[in-house]
Amino acid sequence: MSYSLIIVTLAAFATPLLLAKLKISIVPTAVAEIVVGILLGKSLLNIIKIDPTLNFLADLGVILLLFLSGMEIDFSLFRNNQSQTPLERKAAANLPQYSPFKLAAAAYTVVLLTSAALALAFSLSGLYTNFWLATILFSTIALGVVIAALKEKELLSSRFGQTILLIAVLGEVVPMLSLTVFASIYDHRINQLWLIGILFVAAAILFKQFRSFFNFFQRINKATTQLDIRLAFFIIFTLAFLAKQVGAESILGAFIAGIVIKLLEPETSTREKLDAIGYGFLIPIFFILTGVKLNIPSLLKDPTVLILIPLFFLGFLLAKSLAFFVLKHYFQTKNAFAGSLLSATTITLVLAVLQVAREVQAINSEQSGEFLLAAILTCLVGPLCFNHLFVAEPEDTKKIKVNFIGANILTVSTAQQLDQWYNVHLYTDRLDNFQTYNSKTAVKLLPDLAVDHLIQGQVFDTDILVLGYRDYQLNYQLALAAKKYGVKRVITRFENRDIMSDLGQKLSAASIEYFNSADVNISVLRSLIETPSTLQILMANESRVFEVVVRNQRLAYKQIKDLSFIEHITISRIFRDGTSIAPHGDTRLKLNDHIIFMGKSADVPQIRQIIEKMNE
């Protein structure tokens, strides 16, 4: 073990700490690590001497980097809507009519054509004559940087975010495959190119062999075995080795390995452990050594470098800029421009492409350094421009829509007490009830309760449907129809006294919530006897009990005591995967946790918005 390894690991540890200390958030960590490598390497201090151990770890780093890049791909974006409920298809029909994938494909096709045109211009001018390599480099996009920027703006779940994300995915997949073809041709292995198909066959076999692994893994998992990580590295090394044997690059095998693991749908903890090994150890070594190997003073001795670095930088920007003309037809002009500039960000695959290009002697060290420095500049400018230009969409403050079918003292009183977070509508088909309650609150009279008429009248177009008739058979039929239509939550009054009836079980099986007045009254009375404060809680106007579901990625694994709004609420219970948890200050939240808390009605809308905001 050398002192250089100690310096590199110390630098890897100190870099993110320094960024946090200086509150520098616009610089991707990878760029900062390359810059640190430049400072410690040949360009300045020259205190790191590259030895076989560091080279080996850096090679593992780039393999793991491409593996994790493959795992970044969200394949749910490619699915069609055949499995959607009628309500989901109707909601989608109200959005702009385009497929995020088709739009991304059209935008990236423009990127490829522009990249080729720029590469041709460089070739004809004599500034850089390798047309194919320049095309590949200009068409790359840093998927990791794009994801980080979209997460920061909480856009990953939006159609805009999905479109930009898919453009970035294509900006990794297409150049990766193109690089394999380029290296085979340049290294005179064109007759072996067909063998690459074996790599994809092997990936399919591995996927088929292990597709049920993670279900089995949950039953036998032990901390001392870490079988999920062993499987991941087996697939990584197998496909990386096989890629080399069939004439491709090991990074292509690693990238495909990432796709295989992603398709196996591993647990979140598996991804976290792989991230820890990659971004916590090996990948920073690769980035730092990339900077160490750069000799900027030597580069600057050549006057053409001072011209090429800004020209390559402009090439990276221009290659993506024309995608704006595709995006602007579907998004606000500023957002389309911001998205195209974010897509100009590139670093990860550029490093891999340059490494392969140097191995096949398709580029010299000076040209490699020029492209690398230009790529670093895109990582500084792209996210900065995106953050400055993007016009934030209105906050997701859409009220929860609640439709009541059945106007009576129970439903009308409940509707009146729901706070400002809810958008309430009441419906009845009974004229006498309409005349009685319409003066107290807005009630819409329905001609009948035929399911087709309810759908046409948009009664089922709601987040929560409450069925309040005393006729439990009617409520039962309407509840099943609403659930089939796609209403997320259906709550029905179920005044059934027949102990032999299995309708309650059928409602539960259909994920329909139900209650009856007798059970509710008994439960309240028992609670008053056992916990006298219950009545005060139930009757309070200023402070009430609420339930929210954790959707905000930023709150995942955050301790309760560290929540910014914790002083305004009291959390009494957390339900996680059907299990009740008694919360403490150091209890960490997880996605999809159901939080039961008490707070002032005036504070709840903002708190609820923070907790339930979708940003993933």
Side-chain angles (χ1 to χ4, degrees):
M1 185 177 296
S2 65
Y3 75 91
S4 292
L5 178 59
I6 296 174
I7 296 174
V8 169
T9 52
L10 176 60
F13 169 69
T15 301
L17 289 179
L18 186 61
L19 290 177
K21 184 72 173 176
L22 299 177
K23 297 181 179 180
I24 301 175
S25 58
I26 64 169
V27 179
T29 304
V31 172
E33 287 165 349
I34 294 172
V35 172
V36 168
I38 291 172
L39 297 176
L40 299 176
K42 297 177 180 179
S43 297
L44 194 62
L45 299 177
N46 199 25
I47 59 174
I48 294 178
K49 307 300 178 185
I50 299 176
D51 55 32
T53 301
L54 280 174
N55 267 327
F56 174 73
L57 293 175
D59 288 342
L60 280 181
V62 71
I63 286 175
L64 206 55
L65 176 64
L66 270 297
F67 165 75
L68 292 174
S69 293
M71 283 194 69
E72 294 282 7
I73 300 175
D74 183 2
F75 289 95
S76 66
L77 299 177
F78 298 87
R79 296 174 186 159
N80 58 33
N81 65 351
Q82 295 301 311
S83 61
Q84 288 182 322
T85 64
L87 181 57
E88 290 170 332
R89 287 196 289 271
K90 187 172 183 179
N94 293 328
L95 295 172
Q97 292 302 298
Y98 70 90
S99 160
F101 176 70
K102 290 180 180 178
L103 177 56
Y108 191 71
T109 299
V110 172
V111 169
L112 282 176
L113 294 174
T114 308
S115 298
L118 288 167
L120 181 62
F122 274 97
S123 179
L124 293 176
S125 68
L127 292 171
Y128 183 74
T129 57
N130 196 316
F131 168 78
W132 295 110
L133 184 58
T135 301
I136 293 171
L137 285 166
F138 286 138
S139 64
T140 60
I141 301 174
L143 177 59
V145 177
V146 170
I147 288 176
L150 293 175
K151 274 188 177 181
E152 181 65 26
K153 288 286 187 181
E154 300 184 332
L155 294 169
L156 281 179
S157 61
S158 70
R159 288 167 74 83
F160 172 80
Q162 290 177 354
T163 302
I164 301 302
L165 177 62
L166 279 169
I167 293 174
V169 168
L170 293 172
E172 284 216 342
V173 173
V174 174
M176 176 67 68
L177 296 175
S178 302
L179 175 64
T180 300
V181 176
F182 169 81
S184 297
I185 295 174
Y186 212 89
D187 209 25
H188 306 292
R189 292 181 276 111
I190 186 63
N191 59 328
Q192 299 178 354
L193 198 57
W194 67 273
L195 292 173
I196 295 175
I198 297 173
L199 181 62
F200 292 94
V201 172
I205 292 172
L206 287 171
F207 170 72
K208 184 177 180 181
Q209 182 67 32
F210 294 106
R211 63 182 173 182
S212 61
F213 170 79
F214 284 98
N215 292 330
F216 172 68
F217 168 71
Q218 290 303 309
R219 300 196 299 270
I220 58 146
N221 183 30
K222 294 180 181 178
T224 54
T225 57
Q226 299 291 334
L227 282 177
D228 52 342
I229 304 304
R230 298 187 190 196
L231 172 65
F233 277 100
F234 165 70
I235 293 177
I236 292 170
F237 292 139
T238 298
L239 294 180
F241 171 78
L242 186 59
K244 272 292 186 184
Q245 299 307 305
V246 299
E249 298 300 323
S250 58
I251 56 174
L252 175 62
F255 187 77
I256 295 173
I259 293 175
V260 170
I261 294 295
K262 178 73 173 187
L263 291 173
L264 290 176
E265 299 182 348
E267 297 294 316
T268 303
S269 59
T270 299
R271 174 57 193 264
E272 290 169 352
K273 287 182 281 188
L274 289 168
D275 278 346
I277 296 170
Y279 292 107
F281 175 42
L282 294 169
I283 295 173
I285 293 177
F286 168 66
F287 285 136
I288 291 172
L289 286 195
T290 298
V292 168
K293 294 174 183 177
L294 267 178
N295 191 337
I296 294 179
S298 176
L299 277 176
L300 296 180
K301 290 179 181 179
D302 185 351
T304 60
V305 170
L306 297 175
I307 301 174
L308 284 176
I309 292 175
L311 286 179
F312 286 153
F313 168 67
L314 289 175
F316 282 126
L317 294 182
L318 290 173
K320 319 303 190 305
S321 62
L322 294 186
F324 160 79
F325 294 101
V326 177
L327 298 175
K328 76 170 187 174
H329 293 293
Y330 301 90
F331 306 112
Q332 296 182 43
T333 301
K334 290 186 73 172
N335 289 354
F337 189 49
S340 62
L341 284 176
L342 181 62
S343 299
T345 304
T346 185
I347 189 65
T348 307
L349 201 55
V350 163
L351 292 171
V353 171
L354 292 175
Q355 179 169 302
V356 171
R358 287 194 299 270
E359 289 175 0
V360 299
Q361 298 181 342
I363 195 171
N364 59 42
S365 59
E366 288 78 14
Q367 293 168 332
S368 176
E370 292 158 4
F371 272 112
L372 177 56
L373 290 173
I376 290 173
L377 290 175
T378 67
C379 290
L380 299 175
V381 173
L384 183 63
C385 290
F386 176 76
N387 290 333
H388 178 71
L389 292 172
F390 180 78
V391 180
E393 300 293 335
E395 286 291 329
D396 189 15
T397 55
K398 184 177 77 71
K399 293 183 178 181
I400 297 173
K401 188 176 181 181
V402 183
N403 286 356
F404 290 82
I405 299 181
N408 49 50
I409 190 65
L410 174 64
T411 56
V412 171
S413 298
T414 302
Q416 288 175 332
Q417 292 187 28
L418 288 176
D419 61 30
Q420 58 186 0
W421 185 258
Y422 296 92
N423 182 12
V424 178
H425 299 269
L426 286 102
Y427 299 87
T428 183
D429 68 326
R430 299 176 184 177
L431 180 60
D432 55 343
N433 286 14
F434 170 76
Q435 292 173 338
T436 300
Y437 296 109
N438 191 44
S439 60
K440 297 181 180 181
T441 186
V443 180
K444 185 173 182 179
L445 182 63
L446 298 171
D448 56 56
L449 296 178
V451 172
D452 289 343
H453 292 167
L454 293 177
I455 292 174
Q456 291 173 7
Q458 300 183 341
V459 180
F460 284 175
D461 295 346
T462 183
D463 300 302
I464 301 174
L465 179 69
V466 181
L467 300 164
Y469 284 111
R470 295 187 66 87
D471 184 348
Y472 73 88
Q473 289 280 8
L474 174 61
N475 289 341
Y476 173 79
Q477 297 296 334
L478 292 178
L480 292 180
K483 204 66 181 178
K484 183 178 180 181
Y485 184 72
V487 181
K488 291 181 181 179
R489 289 189 65 197
V490 178
I491 303 172
T492 182
R493 186 176 180 180
F494 193 63
E495 307 289 356
N496 181 19
R497 298 289 180 264
D498 184 359
I499 61 173
M500 300 301 292
S501 173
D502 64 348
L503 295 185
Q505 296 176 353
K506 291 180 178 178
L507 288 173
S508 297
S511 299
I512 296 170
E513 303 162 64
Y514 64 93
F515 68 95
N516 68 60
S517 303
D519 287 345
V520 170
N521 290 334
I522 291 169
S523 297
V524 171
L525 181 56
R526 190 190 72 242
S527 297
L528 287 174
I529 294 170
E530 296 174 346
T531 55
S533 299
T534 300
L535 185 61
Q536 183 179 351
I537 294 174
L538 292 175
M539 301 299 291
N541 291 321
E542 184 178 4
S543 295
R544 290 165 51 193
V545 177
F546 299 88
E547 177 180 349
V548 294
V549 182
V550 178
R551 304 292 189 194
N552 193 333
Q553 178 73 23
R554 294 181 180 181
L555 299 184
Y557 301 101
K558 197 164 191 175
Q559 291 183 326
I560 288 176
K561 65 183 180 182
D562 295 330
L563 297 175
S564 61
F565 47 82
I566 193 59
E567 294 182 0
H568 301 286
I569 64 173
T570 300
I571 298 177
S572 58
R573 216 73 182 166
I574 295 175
F575 289 90
R576 180 177 297 160
D577 299 326
T579 302
S580 176
I581 299 173
H584 302 282
D586 57 355
T587 300
R588 294 185 182 275
L589 299 179
K590 289 189 177 181
L591 291 178
N592 300 314
D593 278 355
H594 287 247
I595 301 176
I596 310 298
F597 70 91
M598 188 173 183
K600 293 182 179 180
S601 300
D603 296 333
V604 168
Q606 183 178 2
I607 294 171
R608 190 168 201 162
Q609 182 180 322
I610 294 171
I611 296 174
E612 293 190 336
K613 187 172 183 65
M614 296 286 290
N615 54 6
E616 166 181 47

